[in-house]
């Protein structure tokens, strides 16, 4: 059987009754959009984080995009982030007319190198957008200090960090607002697209609700532009409510998978993920590193194991972002990583048998690299 980095069918087999009950509950409720399931999910997702507000939206990219707009970020503003991220982080910045400004990442943990942020701040900088990549948090203290000093807002990209903690604090609770994705592969995933923002700022939340609803606060009357249609459907909200109750179990399952990899691969020359001291990692993806990455991925295919790279191209090297004017070599660590990283299968329902198959294939491939 083919092995991939992610699969939801095992989870669906375990949770089928609950998922189908969620669907049935919504379909019988008489409300398919902006109803009770969304209200309850928003209240429960906010409460999980100890935050006062949550606004559900249609995907993580729009959570970032509307989140930026809700915080007042727009044309002419610069937003400092990283190029070692999922492209949608940067697509969202671009979509609101702001300019993404990249700093490099740490060689050890692949996260934003916060030492480089101060030098990237200009009079146009309006927002810091740290990405809690692969399942662990960026070092937030330097960023909150810089934001206070330069009067900047912080939007956390939490699309890969549901349930992750930094010195005990949950991802999404350390900035002015945070954006989440519930894309199916994510640590908390819907059966389709979904997203949300959380914040303690009532005005920002009100902005989010208006932005996702055409610019309306009440029906049929646009009070302010810009407006979008970016609502989270009831059926996804209800599925997410059910799955939120199991979020801590999903995280525990991911940690168990990571622990097994750590034990079984410790004596190889594969560079395994390093948890930054003070962080609780949720292993959205299990990223490893090796200079012979391409040969390893090719050889694994003969075992019917097809792995991913998160991500093969740094955002600043993509033709779609050529207008930003970053030359090759401008973010050396990011560019070096892109040639060496790859991801091992990681999801809570990954069976020990499948994981063992991956481990033994990988050990064989590593031993036979010429
Ligand atoms: C998945 C992801 C997004 C985008 O979320 P979608 O729901 O796919 O739009 C944004 N940022 C990061 C870091 C992601 O991993």
């Amino acid at each position: 059987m083919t092995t991939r980095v992610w699969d939801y069918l095992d989870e669906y087999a375990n949770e089928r009754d609950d998922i189908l009950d969620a669907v049935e509950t919504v379909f019988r409720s008489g409300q398919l959009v902006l109803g009770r399931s969304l209200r309850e999910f928003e209240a429960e997702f906010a409460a999980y984080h100890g935050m006062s507000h949550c606004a559900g939206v249609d995907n993580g990219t729009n959570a970032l995009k509307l989140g930026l707009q809700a915080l007042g970020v727009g044309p002419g503003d610069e937003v400092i982030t990283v190029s070692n991220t999922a492209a949608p982080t940067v697509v969202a910045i671009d979509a609101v007319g702001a300019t993404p400004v990249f700093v490099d990442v740490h060689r050890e943990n692949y996260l934003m190198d916060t030492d480089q942020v101060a030098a990237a701040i200009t009079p146009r900088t309006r927002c810091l957008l740290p990405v809690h990549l692969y399942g662990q948090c960026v070092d937030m203290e330097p960023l909150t200090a810089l934001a206070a000093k330069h009067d900047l807002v912080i939007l956390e990209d939490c699309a890969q960090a549901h349930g992750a903690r930094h010195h005990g604090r949950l991802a999404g609770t350390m900035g002015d607002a945070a954006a989440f994705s519930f894309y199916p592969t994510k640590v908390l995933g819907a059966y389709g697209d979904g997203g949300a923002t959380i914040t303690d700022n009532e005005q920002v939340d009100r902005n989010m609700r208006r932005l996702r609803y055409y610019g309306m606060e009440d029906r049929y009357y646009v009070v302010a532009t810009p407006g979008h249609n970016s609502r989270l459907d009831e059926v996804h909200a209800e599925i997410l409510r059910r799955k939120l109750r199991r979020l801590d179990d999903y995280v525990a399952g991911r940690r168990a998978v990571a622990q097994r990899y750590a034990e079984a691969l410790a004596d190889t020359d594969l560079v395994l993920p390093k948890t930054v001291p003070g962080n609780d990692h949720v292993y959205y993806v299990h990223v490893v590193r090796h200079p012979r990455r391409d040969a390893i991925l090719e050889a694994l295919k003969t075992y019917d194991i097809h792995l991913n790279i998160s991500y093969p191209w740094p955002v600043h090297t993509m033709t779609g972002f050529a207008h930003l004017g970053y030359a090759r070599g401008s973010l050396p660590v990011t560019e070096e990583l892109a040639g060496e990283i790859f991801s091992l299968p990681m999801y809570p329902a990954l069976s020990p048998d499948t994981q063992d198959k991956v481990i033994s294939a990988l050990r064989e491939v590593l031993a036979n690299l010429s």
Side-chain angles (χ1 to χ4, degrees), residues 153-211:
V153 293
I154 297 180
L155 177 63
E156 300 176 67
D157 184 339
C158 296
Q160 307 195 356
H162 315 69
R165 285 175 189 270
H166 179 65
H167 298 298
R169 297 182 66 181
L170 278 167
T173 66
M174 297 176 279
D176 295 282
F180 288 84
S181 165
F182 305 121
Y183 182 72
T185 63
K186 308 291 184 182
V187 178
L188 179 61
Y191 278 67
D193 279 307
T197 54
I198 58 173
T199 182
D200 267 340
N201 184 318
E202 190 185 346
Q203 184 60 50
V204 170
D205 185 64
R206 193 172 318 139
N207 294 346
M208 282 300 301
R209 288 165 191 281
R210 195 181 64 241
L211 285 161

Side-chain angles (χ1 to χ4, degrees), residues 58-62 64 85-89 131-133 157-160 180-183 185-186 193-195 284 311:
D58 51 350
N59 58 63
T61 308
N62 285 338
L64 287 163
T85 183
T89 306
V131 182
H132 302 313
L133 197 72
D157 184 339
C158 296
Q160 307 195 356
F180 288 84
S181 165
F182 305 121
Y183 182 72
T185 63
K186 308 291 184 182
D193 279 307
Y284 166 59
Y311 295 91

Side-chain angles (χ1 to χ4, degrees), residues 222-239:
V222 174
V223 283
T225 57
H228 309 274
N229 177 359
S230 280
R231 300 174 297 235
L232 179 64
D233 294 321
E234 285 292 285
V235 71
H236 297 305
E238 185 61 31
I239 290 171

Side-chain angles (χ1 to χ4, degrees), residues 64 68 73-104 112 120-122 124-131 314-318 320-327 330-331:
L64 287 163
L68 287 167
V73 178
D77 295 332
E78 292 177 356
V79 178
I80 298 177
T81 190
V82 288
S83 175
N84 184 40
T85 183
T89 306
V90 187
V91 168
I93 298 169
D94 192 70
V96 305
T99 303
V101 172
F102 300 121
V103 295
D104 213 341
M112 175 184 267
I121 293 175
T122 76
R124 295 163 80 104
T125 306
R126 184 74 199 96
C127 176
L128 306 179
L129 204 163
V131 182
V315 175
H316 71 282
T317 66
M318 296 178 181
F321 292 106
H323 61 280
L324 298 177
Y326 284 82
S330 55
L331 298 166

Side-chain angles (χ1 to χ4, degrees), residues 6-13 184 191 347:
W6 180 82
D7 189 342
Y8 74 91
L9 291 172
D10 289 336
E11 179 189 286
Y12 184 56
Y191 278 67
Y347 47 96

Side-chain angles (χ1 to χ4, degrees), residues 268-321:
T268 68
D269 56 356
L270 214 53
V271 180
L272 298 171
K274 287 186 191 65
T275 303
V276 179
N279 272 355
D280 294 326
H281 205 313
V282 297
Y283 298 100
Y284 166 59
V285 278
H286 190 281
V287 172
V288 297
R289 182 171 180 190
H290 196 283
R292 302 287 308 282
R293 188 263 316 272
D294 294 342
I296 296 169
L297 292 188
E298 255 331 285
L300 285 171
K301 288 182 189 164
T302 63
Y303 297 81
D304 207 10
I305 297 171
H306 300 263
L307 302 186
N308 273 8
I309 303 169
S310 296
Y311 295 91
W313 299 287
V315 175
H316 71 282
T317 66
M318 296 178 181
T319 54
F321 292 106

